[in-house]
Amino acid sequence: NDRRAEFAQALAALLPPHLTHLFFANSGAEAVDGALKFARVATGRRRYLAFRAGFHGRTVGALSVTWEKKYREPFLPLLETTHLPYNDLAKLEAAGAVYRDGDQVRDPLAIVHNRGCRLLRLRLWVHPSGQRDQVCDLPYTIALAQRIKRAGFMLLLDLHYSDTWADPGHQTKPAAWRELPFDALRQQVHDYTREVVQAFAAAGALPEMVQVGNEIANGFLWPDGKLDGTEESFARFASLVRAGCEGVRAGAGGGSVQRMIHSERGGDPA
């Protein structure tokens, strides 16, 4: 963080006077995606300053509001907004959170929509605990998706196929699926995906895109779908991904829904 702060200060001194916002992000493609959304919100522009190289192979692009306070404070005067946690929005508002555009309290979705953002991503867990931020079950996420659609956004639905966070180091199967043999698991992935997409469609919130798995460069639904470098593991992984993609198509019926394969290594040249 010291090196990031020094770099930012040096870069800020070189920027043309009309570029009044400077942003950083790290930790790969997802952070870059979020950082660029954040940059668009804060600047109200569709073009922004960004880099595809950085410290120790990480990505430089925008100022992360998750930095420790002492690193963030010098840059606060440059920022017109902070990160909006879309997935937790309903829970935060229920707890009393309010969002302001200048001095005016406004719907946070209206704030970001008015600044050019047009697509939001919502995550979905199978049976989350309901504790802290573990709230994104089907009813919660459908209600939030309906609100997002009413606000004029397109929707990307992120299926984790887990009861909690799925990432490169954690791809835990839902507890209810844990003992399923592989063929039954593959069918469950298909049927669950189809039923989820059907439920969103019935609620008037059909996603424009569905992400089949979250950060799955190492596989998902471990151990069945874990990649270990063998052809057999890749065949199992591909079979599960295909089941999810086919489930999206089946659930959409006649609707047009794109399917996304999500790798966290988008900025990794290797």
Side-chain angles (χ1 to χ4, degrees):
N1 280 327
D2 287 328
R3 293 187 65 188
R4 291 192 189 110
E6 291 171 2
F7 176 82
Q9 290 165 354
L11 182 59
L14 299 175
L15 291 177
H18 66 280
L19 290 179
T20 58
H21 295 74
L22 179 65
F23 303 89
F24 267 55
N26 67 323
S27 301
E30 182 168 316
V32 171
D33 176 65
L36 295 183
K37 289 179 185 176
F38 176 43
R40 177 177 293 180
V41 169
T43 62
R45 301 173 184 171
R46 292 188 175 275
R47 296 182 180 274
Y48 25 64
L49 182 67
F51 295 86
R52 281 283 181 177
F55 305 109
H56 306 297
R58 297 190 182 258
T59 309
V60 177
L63 173 64
S64 170
V65 295
T66 60
W67 275 7
E68 291 89 341
K69 185 177 180 181
K70 67 177 181 177
Y71 296 108
R72 189 169 68 243
E73 280 186 331
F75 299 95
L76 289 180
L78 300 178
L79 305 180
E80 298 171 3
T81 185
T82 56
H83 173 62
L84 177 61
Y86 308 109
N87 291 279
D88 306 324
L89 190 56
K91 183 174 182 179
L92 291 171
E93 289 176 328
V98 295
Y99 299 86
R100 290 180 171 84
D101 188 0
D103 295 330
Q104 183 180 3
V105 175
R106 297 189 61 197
D107 183 330
L109 296 181
I111 295 174
V112 296
H113 191 276
N114 289 344
R115 284 165 168 76
C117 184
R118 291 295 181 267
L119 183 144
L120 299 182
R121 182 175 72 162
L122 294 181
R123 61 176 172 264
L124 179 65
W125 291 315
V126 178
H127 295 299
S129 68
Q131 302 299 312
R132 296 175 64 85
D133 63 350
Q134 308 283 302
V135 295
C136 299
D137 62 7
L138 187 60
Y140 176 95
T141 307
I142 284 179
L144 193 52
Q146 289 173 318
R147 179 177 171 186
I148 283 172
K149 288 283 192 170
R150 287 194 299 269
F153 292 94
M154 295 182 290
L155 174 64
L156 165 57
L157 181 62
D158 176 6
L159 301 180
H160 280 237
Y161 297 102
S162 181
D163 293 334
T164 186
W165 295 100
D167 57 47
H170 308 86
Q171 294 284 348
T172 306
K173 281 189 292 187
W177 304 2
R178 192 169 296 154
E179 303 303 324
L180 293 176
F182 183 79
D183 287 345
L185 176 63
R186 181 175 56 196
Q187 188 64 47
Q188 180 65 32
V189 169
H190 174 277
D191 294 349
Y192 165 79
T193 306
R194 182 195 66 222
E195 291 165 6
V196 162
V197 176
Q198 286 175 336
F200 275 79
L206 183 68
E208 278 71 24
M209 185 179 297
V210 174
Q211 181 179 309
V212 179
N214 191 71
E215 300 185 352
I216 60 173
N218 295 328
F220 71 140
L221 291 163
W222 291 354
D224 301 70
K226 188 171 187 176
L227 292 171
D228 60 14
T230 64
E231 290 187 9
E232 181 183 2
S233 72
F234 193 85
R236 290 195 303 267
F237 165 75
S239 180
L240 293 171
V241 171
R242 186 181 303 114
C245 290
E246 291 173 351
V248 173
R249 183 187 296 114
S256 176
V257 179
Q258 298 183 65
R259 288 152 290 173
M260 173 188 287
I261 306 301
H262 183 222
S263 171
E264 74 283 358
R265 296 180 182 171
D268 185 352

